[in-house]
Amino acid sequence: MSGHGDPIKMTAHKSGPLRGTAEVPGDKSISHRALIFGALCVGETKITGLLEGEDVLDTAKAMRAFGAEVTRHGPGAWSVHGVGVGGFAEPEQVIDCGNSGTSVRLIMGCMATSPITATFTGDASLRKRPMGRITDPIALFGAQSYGRAGGRLPMTVVGAHDPVPVRYTPPMASAQVKSAVLLAGLNAPGQTVVIEKIPTRDHTERMLRGFGADVSVEQTDEGQVITLQGQPELVAQEVAVPRDPSSAAFPVCAALIVPGSDILVPGVSQNPTRNGLFTTLRDMGADIEFLNEREEGGEPVADLRVRYSELHGIDVPASRASAQIDEYPVLSVVAACATGVTRMPGVHELRVKESDRIDAMARGLEACGVRIEEDEDTLIVHGMGPGGVPGGAICASHLDHRIAMSFLVLGMAAQNPVSVDDGSPIATSFPIFEDLLARLGATIRREI
């Protein structure tokens, strides 16, 4: 599939029991960071288990454009010969980040404190997304940014010649913003500080330490204070990428709502800043076992045994939002197949993802016969119970991989097939989605 090509209509049909092992791809967040941190080292970083979706491949191309040597040796096996902190070369071409907000925002942070200029663009979805949340803090370091109205791509960033350290409190809970500031701080003297009122996924802090940076995290009355000592010499590493919990969410949720299902999803990251969905599903009555819990590549992982469950609606704590922010679309599908009402507050950040995910899921679920309530910060789904969703709709994916996959999961449990107008963006994060679900017993067909 190509997230940059022609639209691909896809339809999921009602499924029999899903059975077998679902080996989901490597974690997207860690894959991006492994390539970026490898480029910021001197020496060779070796990576195994890298997600080879289009988003991550766009990051690999960008690191080459900034001067790093990035090589693929086999499936998931890559190496990066880096240029060191502050060693980025000025790219000769525009950096096309495709559909990946993580790529463009983290890379803007990386180059913001080097005396180089780079221009960034992306696909139609990415060009709609706000970049002010990155350009505002990197301006404090001394970088300048020139983009379209509303702070949107294409955008040219002129890095600071004499960067200064920054103390910054992001106005929203965003791991991308936090990470961009910390990456900018690598090439600034002194201490760069990020204060998070609501903690977000901590892959950047973990990986910074793993590559040799001096990073401390302290809980204070202000919030979580992350302090980075600037201008470290990062040391090349071997990185084993765990399996992505955001990708695992789709076979897990499908198994929970398709009667008779029983699957194993091995080696899934259980980072506490990422595993909120599994906690929420168990609160709804899901039969999920965590087996063989262990640590791989500095991240906690476990094998998940998942069986079909008759679920009930709950009030999802708003405090859990940051730990499952990417999983709300498929969670809303599960809620539609549960008995009772599921309320999901604190989800305003979904309005500025690859699409307005609250609106996209609300309209698609309504088209499938589900009653929805929403406001700027809350999605409420009135569940129709096992087998109760009529389905039968063609849902708009809005160039959003998670929206497309979520509605295809719904089609596996609905009374009538559910289609998405364009499933091509799935390739950005989960290129084996169709094959994996087919091996478990699902029926997803393309209409090209």
Side-chain angles (χ1 to χ4, degrees), residues 5-289:
D6 295 331
I8 301 173
K9 182 181 177 184
M10 299 171 64
T11 301
H13 298 259
K14 189 170 183 178
S15 178
L18 303 177
R19 299 288 175 83
T21 299
E23 295 187 342
V24 302
D27 186 274
K28 185 155 73 99
S29 296
I30 295 175
S31 293
H32 282 302
R33 288 162 173 80
L35 292 168
I36 291 169
F37 280 104
L40 293 171
C41 293
V42 174
E44 182 184 32
T45 289
K46 297 179 180 180
I47 307 167
T48 56
L50 188 87
L51 168 64
E52 294 180 340
E54 289 180 355
D55 279 7
V56 175
L57 297 181
D58 285 333
T59 293
K61 292 174 187 174
M63 293 302 97
R64 292 190 187 106
F66 282 100
E69 181 182 328
V70 183
T71 306
R72 182 181 187 269
H73 301 281
W78 292 65
S79 65
V80 183
H81 285 269
V83 296
V85 171
F88 273 5
E90 186 164 284
E92 296 181 359
Q93 304 293 331
V94 172
I95 304 298
D96 187 348
C97 292
N99 189 248
S100 181
T102 301
S103 296
V104 69
R105 288 170 173 157
L106 267 59
I107 296 167
M108 281 182 178
C110 279
M111 56 87 45
T113 48
S114 295
I116 59 175
T117 298
T119 299
F120 299 87
T121 191
D123 68 7
S125 171
L126 190 60
R127 290 196 302 272
K128 294 178 183 177
R129 298 180 67 180
M131 295 298 143
R133 55 179 53 194
I134 300 299
T135 58
D136 288 349
I138 65 174
L140 301 176
F141 288 96
Q144 296 174 294
S145 305
Y146 306 93
R148 291 168 54 225
R152 303 188 192 277
L153 302 178
M155 179 172 288
T156 296
V157 178
V158 181
H161 283 257
D162 296 299
V164 295
V166 164
R167 183 179 181 89
Y168 187 68
T169 302
M172 75 294 290
S174 170
Q176 292 178 356
V177 174
K178 170 182 66 178
S179 298
V181 174
L182 292 173
L183 288 169
L186 283 173
N187 199 39
Q191 293 184 336
T192 289
V193 179
V194 179
I195 303 167
E196 287 193 303
K197 296 177 183 177
I198 300 173
T200 61
R201 60 184 63 176
D202 64 354
H203 302 307
T204 296
E205 298 95 300
R206 288 173 181 262
M207 198 168 285
L208 278 168
R209 291 192 198 97
F211 278 83
D214 183 353
V215 181
S216 65
V217 180
E218 182 183 5
Q219 296 294 335
T220 73
D221 292 340
E222 289 183 279
Q224 180 168 270
V225 178
I226 305 153
T227 303
L228 167 72
Q229 185 64 46
Q231 299 177 324
E233 183 173 325
L234 300 184
V235 180
Q237 299 293 314
E238 294 189 3
V239 180
V241 179
R243 298 184 192 272
D244 195 325
S246 296
S247 294
F250 297 101
V252 165
C253 289
L256 290 174
I257 62 177
V258 173
S261 297
D262 186 346
I263 68 170
L264 182 72
V265 190
V268 180
S269 171
Q270 291 301 300
N271 184 303
T273 65
R274 293 286 303 283
N275 67 353
L277 174 70
F278 306 122
T279 301
T280 296
L281 292 172
R282 293 182 87 179
D283 288 348
M284 297 175 75
D287 185 352
I288 302 176
E289 288 185 82

Side-chain angles (χ1 to χ4, degrees), residues 14 257 332-339 364-372 381-393 395 406-407 409-418:
K14 189 170 183 178
I257 62 177
S332 68
V333 165
V334 172
C337 298
T339 300
L365 288 170
E366 286 174 340
C368 290
V370 182
R371 182 184 165 203
I372 299 295
V381 178
H382 293 259
M384 305 189 75
V389 176
C395 303
S406 296
F407 283 123
V409 168
L410 179 62
M412 299 176 205
Q415 297 167 8
N416 298 289
V418 175

